[in-house]
Amino acid sequence: MVRRKTSAVLALAFTASLLAAPAASAETPQCDTQRIQAAVKDLGSVGASGISVTVKSPLCGVRNGGTGLADLKTGRKVVGNEHSRIASNTKTWTATVVLQLVGEGRIGLDDTVDQYLPGLIRTEHYDGRKITVRQLLQHTSGLPDYLEAPFWQDPDAHRWEHIDPLQTVEQTLTLPPPDRTPSGFAYSNTNYNLAGLIVAEVTGHGIGAEIEQRIIKPLGLRDTYWPGDRTTLPEPDLRGYAQEDGKPVDKTEWNVSAADASGALVTTGADATAFWTALWTGKLLAPAQLAEMKHTVPEEEGGRYGLGVERYEHTPGFVTWGHSGSMETSHNFRNAVTDDGQRAVTLLIGSDQFDSAKVDAVIDDLIRTLR
């Protein structure tokens, strides 16, 4: 991955809002604002155009800020309240809905795809009678990623098109089986679009409507929404920039309907943090379903994957959870939350190229030292 250089002004343009104590934590002077400031400064040198940062901890409360520019054209700085596409972090929201339906007895994790979508997956290589809902959520179904289909060789050619999730599944069925880890893991966006179709079959509502009714409204997430065919982001937005011929090109406007249950959601750092901390503190799933979500298998590059969640152990003995994401719009997402849900770091990134390893290191160091 090529790193894009940033100017000193851009790298140091972190906002004071991360340092000012929020009203809810006026009696928590022990918050280490200098540590947060140092982390944001470090993020200013990873090569991204702009990064929105949200941190949460018992002593610090919720703090929003950022580094760099939300809009290169206007020079608008990132302040931490920007809306962005969170890409594959959407999978955790989708998995939460599915597991709620499991808790209600309406879906079985070990039921097959064919029980809900009879005859849809029947080819030489793939059989919905042998693929379970659990395997979809854990990426062990053996289905390839629809993005590997020839149709997606030039994503810009379909930038403004409505693409139904069923179409992405049909594209998948023409592809050869993917390479898989010994655990059977092969990451595939198709798995989650199929899970979304199952939710629609069971409830009579699309996955976006179910996320709204089951997560967004109960948690009061006023800056989170399902975009459908809307190509723009609400203001203030975090613009997404791709590097083309050495120059940043704005890719923000895009019809992401194809991403559907695998990656369409739009939110802010604060709302995403509220979702993850609610999830990990048992406000969205019963203990049995949350335990299922946390049951992991080995994935690529030494990581572990549960049901819609990534398990991180960058520092031996210190476990966090999250789900990374990247989008054709050049928006990226990184987050980490502690196992007890008390500490969280969320980043919305407005570039397709940046020092990913350094970003991960900054997140890990910050969440370990937050109190």
Side-chain angles (χ1 to χ4, degrees):
M1 182 174 291
V2 179
R3 276 189 66 183
R4 183 169 62 82
K5 296 180 180 179
T6 53
S7 69
V9 173
L10 180 61
L12 296 177
F14 54 88
T15 63
S17 60
L18 275 169
L19 306 181
S25 57
E27 298 180 2
T28 56
Q30 302 95 328
C31 177
D32 187 357
T33 56
Q34 291 185 344
R35 181 67 202 93
I36 299 173
Q37 176 182 347
V40 176
K41 183 177 180 180
D42 287 342
L43 290 171
S45 63
V46 302
S49 54
I51 302 177
S52 175
V53 183
T54 298
V55 299
K56 181 179 181 179
S57 73
L59 294 184
C60 296
V62 178
R63 293 166 184 258
N64 302 298
T67 179
L69 300 179
D71 189 327
L72 297 181
K73 183 177 180 179
T74 66
R76 174 168 52 89
K77 295 181 179 180
V78 177
V79 298
N81 65 344
E82 292 80 13
H83 297 83
S84 182
R85 306 186 193 279
I86 63 171
S88 285
N89 195 265
T90 304
K91 291 180 172 67
T92 311
W93 304 61
T94 296
T96 299
V97 170
V98 173
L99 286 167
Q100 286 182 351
L101 291 166
V102 169
E104 295 165 11
R106 302 172 70 183
I107 290 179
L109 280 176
D110 296 312
D111 290 348
T112 67
V113 171
D114 207 67
Q115 289 176 245
Y116 301 99
L117 305 169
L120 178 60
I121 311 295
R122 297 279 181 89
T123 70
E124 176 187 358
H125 299 297
Y126 314 113
D127 188 342
R129 295 168 296 185
K130 299 179 181 179
I131 299 171
T132 66
V133 173
R134 183 191 304 275
Q135 289 174 324
L136 294 180
L137 298 184
Q138 200 146 47
H139 295 299
T140 54
S141 69
L143 290 169
D145 193 335
Y146 72 83
L147 291 174
E148 297 298 324
F151 181 86
W152 296 100
Q153 287 182 357
D154 181 10
D156 284 273
H158 310 290
R159 183 172 179 175
W160 310 111
E161 295 178 21
H162 169 85
I163 298 172
D164 191 85
L166 180 60
Q167 184 179 345
T168 69
V169 174
E170 292 168 344
Q171 292 169 349
T172 296
L173 299 181
T174 66
L175 300 173
D179 294 332
R180 304 169 73 179
T181 67
S183 67
F185 183 91
Y187 191 91
S188 170
N189 289 290
T190 308
N191 289 319
Y192 274 77
N193 279 2
L194 264 172
L197 291 174
I198 290 173
V199 168
E201 182 66 25
V202 169
T203 66
H205 307 114
I207 184 63
E210 289 296 317
I211 287 175
E212 181 177 0
Q213 291 301 316
R214 292 171 173 271
I215 300 175
I216 295 173
K217 287 186 176 180
L219 295 182
L221 306 180
R222 287 176 282 186
D223 290 307
T224 302
Y225 83 101
W226 194 258
D229 288 324
R230 175 175 172 173
T231 60
T232 59
L233 292 175
E235 294 182 353
D237 62 355
L238 181 69
R239 311 297 293 179
Y241 295 96
Q243 285 295 307
E244 296 183 358
D245 298 323
K247 298 179 181 179
V249 177
D250 193 330
K251 300 284 187 176
T252 305
E253 279 74 37
W254 204 291
N255 186 324
V256 299
S257 53
D260 198 59
S262 68
L265 203 62
V266 172
T267 189
T268 61
D271 272 12
T273 299
F275 162 71
W276 275 89
T277 54
L279 177 61
W280 244 235
T281 53
K283 294 181 176 64
L284 292 172
L285 292 177
Q289 280 71 58
L290 187 57
E292 291 281 13
M293 178 175 268
K294 291 183 176 182
H295 181 74
T296 62
V297 298
E299 59 165 313
E300 300 109 333
E301 301 178 1
R304 298 191 68 87
Y305 198 93
L307 302 186
V309 294
E310 297 169 347
R311 182 184 185 273
Y312 310 128
E313 193 171 352
H314 300 300
T315 300
F318 183 73
V319 173
T320 58
W321 302 83
H323 203 301
S324 57
S326 61
M327 204 75 180
E328 299 94 334
T329 61
S330 299
H331 292 103
N332 276 266
F333 185 97
R334 297 287 188 278
N335 78 308
V337 58
T338 52
D339 200 50
D340 61 3
Q342 297 302 306
R343 290 175 283 164
V345 177
T346 303
L347 307 184
L348 308 178
I349 304 171
S351 297
D352 68 336
Q353 296 184 17
F354 55 92
D355 189 338
S356 183
K358 185 172 183 178
V359 167
D360 290 342
V362 171
I363 292 174
D364 183 59
D365 184 57
L366 180 56
I367 198 167
R368 282 190 297 106
T369 57
L370 272 177
R371 294 294 181 267

